[in-house]
Amino acid sequence: MLVYFFTGVWMISLLIFLIYTLISIFFRSFSYPTDYIAFAGNQVTDKVDKQLRYFIIVPCFNEEAVIKQTIQHLLGFGEFEVVVVDDASTDNSAAEIRQIRSPRLHLLQRQLPDAHTGKGDVLNFALDYIRQQIKQRGTTPEKTIVGVVDADAELAPNAAQRLNGYFSSPAGNVCQMRVKMYPHFKTELQILQDIEFFSINHMTQIMRMYTRTVGLSGNGQFFRLAPILAKNGPHPWGNALLDDYELTIKMLLKGLHVDYMTETYVYQEALASLKKFIRQRSRWIQGDLNCLKYLPAIVKSRRLKTAQKTGIYYFLCQPWINALADTAIIVLTVFSFFHLDKLFGNLPGLALIAMVVLVALFSLLWGIVFSFFYRHDLRHFDEPAITRRQYLLLPFGVSYLYVVLFFSIVMAFWRWLFHENSWIKTEHGKG
């Protein structure tokens, strides 16, 4: 009976995955080329709004290895003022920041016991400062653009041009940049993170543009201050471990939606350590579980359309679907191993070989498909190509990454069930 149950779970999970994947591929391949101009920053702007003022928030906690380079890069964009919030770092982050002399750099420092209370509090702290600055200068919130960039990040060279094109229109309120890992990878794990963000998540975000459910990604998010203050108040960020998607939900509930930028992107560091990768993903999964507290409001909302609710439900259900699917695969694999003779003993040798080959090909199919999209994306943006050997290994990694992520799921559910909400920080500059 247990075998039938998990077989059903696996089939339902597979069906959900196939439907979602095929819809995403359809929008990426056919709808997006037609609607290219509708995506954030792709509009042809006759006149850039010279009154726009950009404040880029950079949260910082023990980032001495990367913070100076990140700030110098951001200051290379003449439009940007950079607000760095040092959250009571115990390393030399603050000293590294003070080495940079620029009137467009603002260093804010939080001190214990008020520090280390979550990324949401850090961002709200920075926003208080930004609101004070624009009030003192007489700048209006309608012309103030706030961005969030991680301490290890770097924007593509055309980022400011695309942002100006989007926010010069009064209709441009919130946007999320495409995300890419830094090239010159040291391990295959880093390549897998790049294809996940640059191609697979990109495909998903394109589909979400059509349902108005684009999710903020934490790194590379930008918004016009006025509508955020009007709809979500002076402290829009919450304390979920997935602060970006929590803000997405809060915006959607208030009638705001996020636009997606496809032709510019933000680089971030890919993890080389498998252990750190599992810990990072466990935080993201737990953050998804934290957002379940908004479920009653989503269900009751009359502002959200059916397509939007469906998109949010799917996102919130992902940890549960993945946990059940992975458990089903493990149970069915173990069962099959101990009942090989009963299940396959009567099959002719050639038939058994053919079945194994077909199963292997099917399991690798989507890894192969996504690899082709990834190859196209790298060429389109003149990004460094990976080696032929890495391309051959890529479908295996994409198709079987769920084996590694199962440990992240277990860790996330354990911490969530026992209310362990401490921040599992990603170390930058250390692989």
Side-chain angles (χ1 to χ4, degrees):
M1 192 67 181
L2 196 62
V3 172
Y4 290 118
F5 170 76
F6 281 110
T7 300
V9 168
W10 177 78
M11 292 180 68
I12 292 171
S13 302
L14 180 62
L15 181 63
I16 293 172
F17 167 78
L18 289 175
I19 292 173
Y20 196 82
T21 301
L22 289 171
I23 291 174
S24 298
I25 290 175
F26 173 82
F27 280 118
R28 159 75 191 265
S29 302
F30 301 104
S31 300
Y32 171 66
T34 304
D35 299 329
Y36 173 88
I37 201 69
F39 285 74
N42 294 349
Q43 299 83 5
V44 178
T45 307
D46 295 329
K47 188 177 181 181
V48 173
D49 189 344
K50 299 295 185 181
Q51 294 183 328
L52 293 177
R53 295 292 177 265
Y54 289 89
F55 289 88
I56 312 301
I57 303 173
V58 182
C60 174
F61 173 63
N62 290 350
E63 302 285 6
E64 64 178 0
V66 295
I67 190 63
K68 187 176 179 180
Q69 179 179 337
T70 298
I71 294 171
Q72 288 174 332
H73 169 76
L74 289 171
L75 290 174
F77 293 92
E79 299 92 337
F80 295 167
E81 293 192 44
V82 181
V83 181
V84 185
V85 184
D86 178 50
D87 197 33
S89 294
T90 56
D91 66 357
N92 293 319
S93 293
E96 289 288 317
I97 297 166
R98 290 194 182 97
Q99 290 180 20
I100 303 172
R101 305 294 182 184
S102 173
R104 292 186 288 119
L105 173 60
H106 310 263
L107 172 60
L108 311 181
Q109 291 186 278
R110 281 160 48 93
Q111 305 293 338
L112 292 172
D114 298 323
H116 302 175
T117 57
K119 186 177 178 181
D121 286 345
V122 169
L123 296 173
N124 287 329
F125 183 78
L127 200 61
D128 286 340
Y129 175 80
I130 292 170
R131 288 191 296 110
Q132 291 173 4
Q133 287 292 303
I134 65 172
K135 185 176 181 180
Q136 291 173 8
R137 302 178 192 184
T139 307
T140 65
E142 287 79 10
K143 301 296 183 180
T144 302
I145 311 302
V146 177
V148 178
V149 172
D150 286 347
D152 64 324
E154 182 175 310
L155 300 181
N158 67 340
Q161 174 196 359
R162 296 284 173 167
L163 288 167
N164 283 330
Y166 175 71
F167 286 110
S168 290
S169 167
N173 285 324
V174 191
C175 66
Q176 171 61 51
M177 283 184 176
R178 192 173 182 173
V179 179
K180 192 187 186 312
M181 303 296 135
Y182 287 108
H184 312 301
F185 308 108
K186 298 177 182 178
T187 68
E188 279 69 27
L189 178 62
Q190 292 177 314
I191 299 174
L192 289 177
Q193 292 165 74
D194 195 39
I195 187 175
E196 176 190 13
F197 279 88
F198 197 50
S199 295
I200 300 174
N201 287 0
H202 167 66
M203 192 179 300
T204 300
Q205 292 280 52
I206 286 176
M207 184 270 289
R208 288 174 176 170
M209 270 289 286
Y210 290 90
T211 58
R212 292 198 165 191
T213 55
V214 172
L216 295 172
S217 299
N219 193 15
Q221 59 179 274
F222 291 81
F223 58 77
R224 192 185 303 274
L225 185 56
I228 300 303
L229 294 178
K231 298 285 187 177
N232 293 104
H235 293 160
W237 285 281
N239 282 313
L241 293 178
L242 202 63
D243 57 278
D244 42 20
Y245 197 73
E246 181 181 27
L247 180 57
T248 302
I249 292 176
K250 292 170 72 174
M251 286 180 175
L252 289 171
L253 287 170
K254 294 295 185 178
L256 292 171
H257 69 274
V258 185
D259 290 315
Y260 182 54
M261 308 194 85
T262 60
E263 298 302 307
T264 191
Y265 43 90
V266 55
Y267 291 100
Q268 65 186 41
E269 187 179 79
L271 294 174
S273 164
L274 188 61
K275 180 180 178 181
K276 292 177 181 178
F277 175 76
I278 291 171
R279 285 169 57 85
Q280 179 197 65
R281 296 312 168 94
S282 73
R283 171 166 59 85
W284 294 357
I285 296 167
Q286 187 180 355
D288 193 334
L289 296 171
N290 291 154
C291 290
L292 286 171
K293 63 184 178 183
Y294 293 99
L295 192 57
I298 295 165
V299 173
K300 295 175 184 177
S301 175
R302 295 184 179 180
R303 180 177 279 118
L304 292 174
K305 296 181 179 180
T306 301
Q308 290 178 303
K309 288 187 177 183
T310 302
I312 298 172
Y313 293 154
Y314 175 76
F315 190 90
L316 295 178
C317 285
Q318 274 187 311
W320 304 88
I321 295 172
N322 293 338
L324 287 170
D326 288 353
T327 303
I329 290 171
I330 292 170
V331 170
L332 294 175
T333 301
V334 171
F335 176 83
S336 299
F337 180 79
F338 285 103
H339 297 83
L340 287 175
D341 289 340
K342 185 177 179 181
L343 292 171
F344 309 112
N346 296 326
L347 284 176
L350 287 176
L352 182 59
I353 293 172
M355 185 184 72
V356 171
V357 170
L358 286 173
V359 170
L361 287 175
F362 180 77
S363 65
L364 291 173
L365 173 63
W366 299 112
I368 295 170
V369 171
F370 293 144
S371 296
F372 275 110
F373 277 108
Y374 180 56
R375 184 169 180 267
H376 170 270
D377 291 340
L378 293 179
R379 287 186 169 187
H380 177 71
F381 288 99
D382 293 323
E383 288 286 342
I386 60 177
T387 66
R388 185 175 299 178
R389 172 183 167 276
Q390 289 168 333
Y391 270 124
L392 290 174
L393 292 175
L394 196 54
F396 293 90
V398 174
S399 299
Y400 298 113
L401 189 61
Y402 71 88
V403 177
V404 175
L405 291 177
F406 180 72
F407 296 100
S408 299
I409 293 171
V410 172
M411 186 177 178
F413 271 95
W414 178 273
R415 287 172 53 83
W416 179 66
L417 287 170
F418 289 95
H419 305 288
E420 296 180 18
N421 290 311
S422 59
W423 191 275
I424 302 177
K425 184 185 180 300
T426 301
E427 294 182 340
H428 297 139
K430 299 179 182 179

